[in-house]
Amino acid sequence: MLRLRAGPGLVVVEWPGRKAAALELICRSAKEAGQLVRDFGGRIEKLPADWLTLYTRAQKRPPLRIGRRLIITNGGGTLAPRLSPRRTAAHLVIPAGAAFGTGEHATTAMSLRLLERITRRLKGDWLFADLGTGSGILALAARSFGATRAVGVDHDATAISTARANARFNRITRTEFKIADVRCWRPERKMNVVGANLYSELLIETLPQVRRYLAPGGWLIASGIMRTQEAGVMGALRSHGIQIQEIRRRGKWIALAGIRQAGRASPKRSAS
């Protein structure tokens, strides 16, 4: 019945590993959209007036280069080569239509560049955890940079499904994506690098757990932090034994990298 009403404008969206599918339809007026919702259910999302221009621009976005070791593209409908033509950089394909992080947002791009710099000096086996993994882009990048294993954690089932699909598409193994609350998640082994693209309040709340499973001398990459919240986050990191090594700022956002110090974290002091 809906297909008869919608005609060729009906789009069926399916996700790998999920039985459910979404039906999307662009309507010409709010009245038309409201009638469809009354008849068939669902919800209405208002698109910006230039939605088609924005979508087309996203499809044509230039490759995102992360140092000399990684190139991220939207694929253009082709499978990702493992290496660039000069065989100097790995390729990742994150489809332009994928939600939860394609590398374009400042917080993700800064995290990727910090990860690339940090991992240049890592030798031997090292493990990576990605908190709030979204599309899995940081975990997949970590494997490209030499991580022995990478695990991504997110509370959103659709995000985890997307991350797993991106790993399969890029033929990247030794990745694991888990549906879990980052505040409660516990890995089985100590992590050498942890990425946390989380809003500031959640990052601060998660720090006691992160410190427990981040190996001494291990790296924490934190982003999703607004400049107005920088002082509070820096204080929380210091109190949990994270020594800041590098801070990047872009627009209203910051990202930082710090090393977990050996020994116990500083105790919290109550106000007198």
Side-chain angles (χ1 to χ4, degrees), residues 172-212:
I172 294 179
T173 59
R174 296 184 182 177
T175 58
E176 186 177 6
F177 296 101
K178 293 177 172 287
I179 302 171
D181 186 335
V182 296
R183 294 168 293 191
C184 307
W185 177 70
R186 309 281 194 283
E188 296 178 357
R189 298 172 59 186
K190 294 281 189 179
M191 294 288 139
N192 304 100
V193 185
V194 173
N197 192 352
L198 308 170
Y199 61 86
S200 299
E201 293 82 2
L202 181 56
L203 172 64
I204 292 172
E205 186 178 354
T206 305
L207 280 176
Q209 304 300 334
V210 172
R211 178 180 169 79
R212 290 190 184 99

Side-chain angles (χ1 to χ4, degrees), residues 27-88:
C27 300
R28 296 183 179 182
S29 67
K31 181 179 179 181
E32 180 185 356
Q35 187 61 53
L36 283 171
V37 169
R38 285 190 291 274
D39 292 344
F40 300 100
R43 62 184 178 87
I44 299 172
E45 179 181 351
K46 186 176 180 180
L47 298 175
D50 59 344
W51 69 270
L52 185 57
T53 300
L54 295 174
Y55 176 79
T56 303
R57 187 181 302 159
Q59 297 295 320
K60 297 179 179 179
R61 73 174 189 264
L64 177 66
R65 297 180 180 272
I66 307 299
R68 296 182 178 180
R69 295 196 290 157
L70 183 64
I71 299 172
I72 300 172
T73 70
N74 65 4
T78 61
L79 288 175
R82 292 305 304 274
L83 296 171
S84 67
R86 295 183 180 181
R87 303 189 66 79
T88 57

Side-chain angles (χ1 to χ4, degrees), residues 119-166:
T119 56
R120 291 179 200 172
R121 66 194 81 172
L122 296 182
K123 305 298 182 182
D125 292 346
W126 58 276
L127 306 177
F128 177 78
D130 183 15
L131 307 183
T133 193
S135 67
I137 189 170
L138 281 179
L140 299 179
R143 284 283 292 126
S144 298
F145 294 147
T148 307
R149 294 193 69 85
V151 57
V153 180
D154 205 294
H155 74 282
D156 191 305
T158 304
I160 293 300
S161 177
T162 300
R164 289 170 178 165
N166 286 335

